[in-house]
Amino acid sequence: MRSSGYKVLTLQDIKKDPLLDAFIRKGNQFLGEMGFTEHSFRHVNLVATIARNILERLNYPPREAELAAIAGYLHDIGNVISRNDHGISGALIAFQVLNEAGMPPEELAVVISAIANHEEQYGQPVNNVAAALILADKSDVHRSRVRNPDPATYDIHDRVNYAVEHSFLWVNEERRVITLELTIDIQICPVMEYFEIFLSRMALCRRAAKFLKADFELMINGAKLL
């Protein structure tokens, strides 16, 4: 139990922790052995950046934006234990590490709840940080994440990710609209297949945007679908 000595931790502080570094590396390695898409430092750094950007552009407090970046960097750390319920296990790991590092309880509660709620199977935008993390994580869909070298053996997740040639999350602060823009090669994957596996993710993104008092839009190949 910690009664004093709290610290204002930043994302740069978190990146210096060798335990977290190892867990992110190994978690990505283990997922690769199971055939899952890439969850490397590229992914967690991108999610951290996008989550921070969302809250900054929507004029939320700078400290909340920093906490969103921290949650984004740590959101997949539970994969070192298991892919199943990795949001829950990741939140428990983050609690232990951030508590020992001196993060204040109020901030710690926000970060671990965001990590625990980022998956569409059970997640909810319970706070601003969680909402930003959900949107940032679900926007990272791209062919570079596919690790299977043989297209002939792609499952639907590989095929959908490989079909995405471009993805970008736009935040229009004036209109308070968050738009996920995708360019998909429909020769590889029909748009319907994207919805087949990602509809629950897009529904969660819509709830997350609403929590941030914004609207969510999905644009695929220039056409607005949501």
Side-chain angles (χ1 to χ4, degrees):
M1 182 179 296
R2 181 185 297 274
S3 59
S4 61
Y6 296 123
K7 299 177 183 177
V8 179
L9 298 174
T10 67
L11 177 58
Q12 293 309 310
D13 295 325
I14 304 305
K15 288 184 176 183
K16 296 175 184 177
D17 191 305
L19 178 69
L20 297 176
D21 184 272
F23 280 11
I24 293 171
R25 280 189 293 106
K26 287 297 185 180
N28 180 54
Q29 177 186 328
F30 300 158
L31 288 184
E33 295 296 333
M34 292 186 284
F36 285 96
T37 52
E38 169 266 333
H39 287 72
S40 67
F41 286 105
R42 184 212 65 84
H43 173 65
V44 298
N45 277 301
L46 180 64
V47 172
T49 298
I50 295 174
R52 183 203 302 273
N53 183 63
I54 290 168
L55 293 190
E56 285 181 342
R57 287 186 172 272
L58 294 178
N59 295 313
Y60 285 96
R63 186 57 188 164
E64 272 196 312
E66 187 69 24
L67 293 179
I70 291 172
Y73 187 75
L74 297 179
H75 77 284
D76 273 338
I77 201 167
N79 285 315
V80 75
I81 296 176
S82 173
R83 180 62 180 170
N84 292 334
D85 295 334
H86 69 279
I88 305 299
S89 56
L92 295 174
I93 295 171
F95 167 78
Q96 183 72 25
V97 175
L98 297 177
N99 185 52
E100 290 182 358
M103 178 173 278
E106 292 292 326
E107 293 187 351
L108 185 54
V110 169
V111 171
I112 63 173
S113 63
I115 294 171
N117 278 282
H118 81 273
E119 282 299 289
E120 64 269 19
Q121 291 85 356
Y122 48 80
Q124 295 293 334
V126 294
N127 53 53
N128 294 335
V129 170
L133 172 55
I134 287 166
L135 288 157
D137 181 43
K138 304 316 172 193
S139 68
D140 188 21
V141 51
H142 193 266
R143 63 176 42 177
S144 63
R145 299 193 68 188
V146 177
R147 294 194 270 200
N148 183 350
D150 183 7
T153 63
Y154 281 176
D155 63 12
I156 188 172
H157 291 85
D158 287 338
R159 192 163 57 252
V160 168
N161 275 280
Y162 192 78
V164 178
E165 300 172 334
H166 166 82
S167 63
F168 196 84
L169 192 73
W170 299 91
V171 181
N172 186 316
E173 53 265 47
E174 294 182 359
R175 295 175 53 226
R176 294 193 78 83
V177 174
I178 300 170
T179 303
L180 175 57
E181 180 183 271
L182 302 176
T183 301
I184 294 179
D185 184 342
I186 59 174
Q187 299 302 314
I188 297 173
C189 166
V191 172
M192 187 58 67
E193 279 198 353
Y194 175 87
F195 277 102
E196 184 178 338
I197 66 168
F198 285 159
L199 184 58
S200 60
R201 298 185 186 186
M202 296 301 96
L204 181 57
C205 284
R206 176 176 280 181
R207 294 199 300 273
K210 184 177 180 180
F211 191 93
L212 296 173
K213 299 178 177 59
D215 292 321
F216 177 74
E217 294 181 348
L218 175 64
M219 300 280 293
I220 297 182
N221 295 351
K224 180 180 175 182
L225 301 182
L226 285 178

